Amino acid sequence: MGRMTSTPRSDLDPAVAARLKRGADGLLPAIAQQYDTGEVLMLGWMDDEALHRTLTTGRCTYWSRSRGEYWVKGDTSGHYQSVKSVALDCDADTVLVKVDQVGAACHTGDRTCFDADELPVTGAPAGTGH
């Protein structure tokens, strides 16, 4: 079941909603970052209602594209994300949620979704002249 291209009714502040640049599916990528260490934990998806719930409950709420429903991080696993701050990027098409992560962020049980499959970088870093 896919998302509709129109944004469903939400109690999200209309001034915030007007700024958002959503994908065709009505979703924004939401990056979860550990607030005190800067560790990037995971990427999820939010629509207006998920963002509203995240801002007003203090718990990260995402839209599950695979299940077609909202989910609050930790309700099933016990691995909660307590929201410390929420910011839009300069284009208002990505959300950064700084959280205090309890336990694993990844559904595999790893602390982050980005620690298991590091790819080799063979190019010279920019600005080195190589």
Side-chain angles (χ1 to χ4, degrees):
M1 178 186 311
R3 297 290 293 156
M4 297 185 304
T5 54
S6 63
T7 304
R9 163 124 171 63
S10 173
D11 290 324
L12 181 65
D13 179 339
V16 173
R19 295 175 54 203
L20 300 179
K21 293 184 181 134
R22 304 161 198 83
D25 56 5
L27 301 174
L28 295 164
I31 301 165
Q33 180 181 36
Q34 178 63 33
Y35 82 100
D36 53 356
T37 65
E39 180 181 30
V40 177
L41 300 168
M42 61 172 281
L43 178 126
W45 296 93
M46 291 184 181
D47 65 3
D48 289 27
E49 181 59 21
L51 180 55
H52 168 71
R53 293 179 190 187
T54 297
L55 291 168
T56 58
T57 66
R59 303 246 333 266
C60 276
T61 301
Y62 299 99
W63 175 260
S64 172
R65 295 179 304 169
S66 60
R67 294 190 310 258
E69 63 187 15
Y70 294 104
W71 59 282
V72 177
K73 182 69 175 168
D75 272 1
T76 303
S77 67
H79 298 165
Y80 297 100
Q81 292 177 340
S82 297
V83 176
K84 298 294 186 178
S85 68
V86 179
L88 292 174
D89 76 339
C90 58
D91 296 320
D93 64 0
T94 304
V95 178
L96 175 64
V97 186
K98 292 188 179 182
V99 303
D100 191 11
Q101 175 71 49
V102 173
C106 186
H107 72 282
T108 65
D110 287 342
R111 169 72 181 167
T112 114
C113 293
F114 297 102
D115 63 356
D117 196 10
E118 191 166 325
L119 304 176
V121 177
T122 58
T128 63
H130 297 265

